[in-house]
Amino acid sequence: MKEECVLLISDVHVGRVTSTYNLDVFQERLENLYYNLLAVKEIINKSYKLPVLNIFFLGDIVDGENLYPSQPYKQEIDADDQMDLAVNRFSEFILDLFGSGRRKRFEKIRIWTVEGNHGRVGRRNSEKTNYDRIFYKRLADRLAFHDKIEINISKNWYNYAEIMDHGYLLFHGDNIYCYMNIPFYGIVQRAMRLRVGGLQENFEVVCMGHFHNIGMLYWNDLRILMNGTFLSDDDYSQKRLGLKPATKFWFFGVSKERPITWSYLIDIAQRG
């Protein structure tokens, strides 16, 4: 059996500081993501190999600057230093996933990206002028020497990935409205409109972030995955949604027959 796998990464907010999150915790949780991902892969490898990893970066990787008046009081470093740290740590994370010698892990890694609202530079700037986008380009430059890494940077507010003949729609999710402070109706409504003609691409799975919570929705034959966050306490989730942030990221398999063959929620707040 031949399969590939997909990892969703979103809402990392490098540079943000809370009572339970800072730069040290970011690096610790990235290590947890690395080890927990490989632990799941080892279990799957007892049945068949997973030679290719696809990573969907879904936005808000860095915390940005000047989004709201009190933001500087909730940050350890500015946007430039946020991107420096993010490029250094994520390039190490990606390269380590290849392994070496007898401990080879993945043979190829493909990356798709979309920007988040925290990457915005200002209301009067081009929407392409986005800290997330700059981070992705710097990451691509850092990894350009490796012929087994492919990076697809979005040219629009969304991105489209095709894996083993299945289509995946990627977007951050910040333009989706909540109803009674619950995002799920808005998510389904937006996904179905895009599915029936809002976009020309034919997709079977929607992958998104933004709400700092996890979910898997089924609507007829469309699947929607909402990804978690690196933040373990967060004013946005608690005040806007009344929910505790979810430090869990989706990791799933893909075959020729199915867009999702298995799925696992990786908890980045702990190892194992």
Side-chain angles (χ1 to χ4, degrees):
M1 179 182 293
K2 184 178 180 181
E3 285 197 7
E4 296 185 14
C5 54
V6 179
L7 172 67
L8 307 190
I9 298 178
S10 67
D11 301 281
V12 181
H13 292 280
V14 175
R16 180 78 178 274
V17 60
T18 73
S19 61
T20 62
Y21 187 67
N22 55 39
L23 298 179
D24 292 333
V25 175
F26 152 64
Q27 295 175 87
E28 177 185 332
R29 289 179 178 173
L30 188 60
E31 288 186 8
N32 291 345
L33 177 60
Y34 172 80
Y35 286 106
N36 292 346
L37 183 151
L38 292 180
V40 176
K41 181 181 185 298
E42 187 175 338
I43 294 171
I44 301 297
N45 286 161
K46 293 178 180 179
S47 299
Y48 48 84
K49 293 182 179 181
L50 294 170
V52 180
L53 172 65
N54 300 274
I55 300 176
F56 294 171
F57 278 105
L58 299 174
D60 282 2
I61 307 304
V62 297
D63 200 52
E65 282 184 358
N66 298 321
L67 282 173
Y68 50 92
S70 62
Q71 188 176 21
Y73 300 97
K74 300 179 180 181
Q75 293 183 315
E76 286 190 88
I77 53 177
D78 61 26
D80 184 61
D81 289 340
Q82 292 168 24
M83 287 185 287
D84 284 343
L85 181 61
V87 170
N88 289 337
R89 293 297 171 260
F90 274 107
S91 60
E92 292 171 0
F93 170 80
I94 292 165
L95 292 172
D96 286 347
L97 286 170
F98 283 101
S100 61
R102 293 185 177 182
R103 294 190 60 82
K104 286 186 177 179
R105 299 182 176 105
F106 292 103
E107 298 174 11
K108 186 171 185 177
I109 295 177
R110 300 193 197 97
I111 297 170
W112 281 266
T113 74
V114 290
E115 295 87 44
N117 56 298
H118 269 257
R120 293 172 183 162
V121 175
R123 293 183 178 181
R124 297 183 183 276
N125 294 84
S126 167
E127 291 186 1
K128 292 199 302 182
T129 307
N130 185 294
Y131 291 124
D132 276 337
R133 189 178 189 83
I134 298 169
F135 159 69
Y136 297 143
K137 288 189 172 184
R138 290 180 60 183
L139 183 66
D141 289 341
R142 179 73 62 87
L143 300 175
F145 74 94
H146 204 298
D147 63 353
K148 297 299 182 182
I149 297 176
E150 175 187 314
I151 300 181
N152 304 277
I153 297 176
S154 61
K155 298 179 180 179
N156 209 321
W157 60 270
Y158 71 94
N159 207 341
Y160 174 78
E162 187 170 308
I163 303 171
M164 302 193 81
D165 298 328
H166 300 289
Y168 301 80
L169 177 66
L170 289 58
F171 56 77
H172 183 62
D174 53 301
N175 289 321
I176 292 177
Y177 293 103
C178 293
Y179 296 84
M180 300 296 291
N181 293 325
I182 298 173
F184 299 108
Y185 174 73
I187 292 170
V188 170
Q189 182 190 62
R190 182 65 54 83
M192 293 306 298
R193 287 184 177 184
L194 295 173
R195 179 77 181 279
V196 298
L199 294 174
Q200 62 181 1
E201 290 87 354
N202 182 27
F203 55 90
E204 301 166 73
V205 180
V206 173
C207 300
M208 58 172 290
H210 181 64
F211 292 101
H212 296 186
N213 269 273
I214 51 169
M216 176 182 281
L217 303 173
Y218 289 81
W219 195 264
N220 294 328
D221 57 348
L222 180 66
R223 301 188 191 191
I224 304 167
L225 297 180
M226 184 167 66
N227 205 44
T229 177
F230 265 58
L231 299 173
S232 44
D233 64 304
D234 169 44
D235 290 349
Y236 169 76
S237 299
Q238 295 162 339
K239 292 171 67 176
R240 175 84 183 274
L241 305 176
L243 297 172
K244 179 181 177 181
T247 54
K248 295 179 173 64
F249 284 9
W250 285 107
F251 181 47
F252 61 90
V254 182
S255 71
K256 282 282 188 181
E257 292 76 25
R258 296 178 179 87
I260 299 178
T261 53
W262 51 266
S263 60
Y264 190 87
L265 280 170
I266 297 177
D267 190 345
I268 60 170
Q270 60 185 6
R271 187 174 301 187

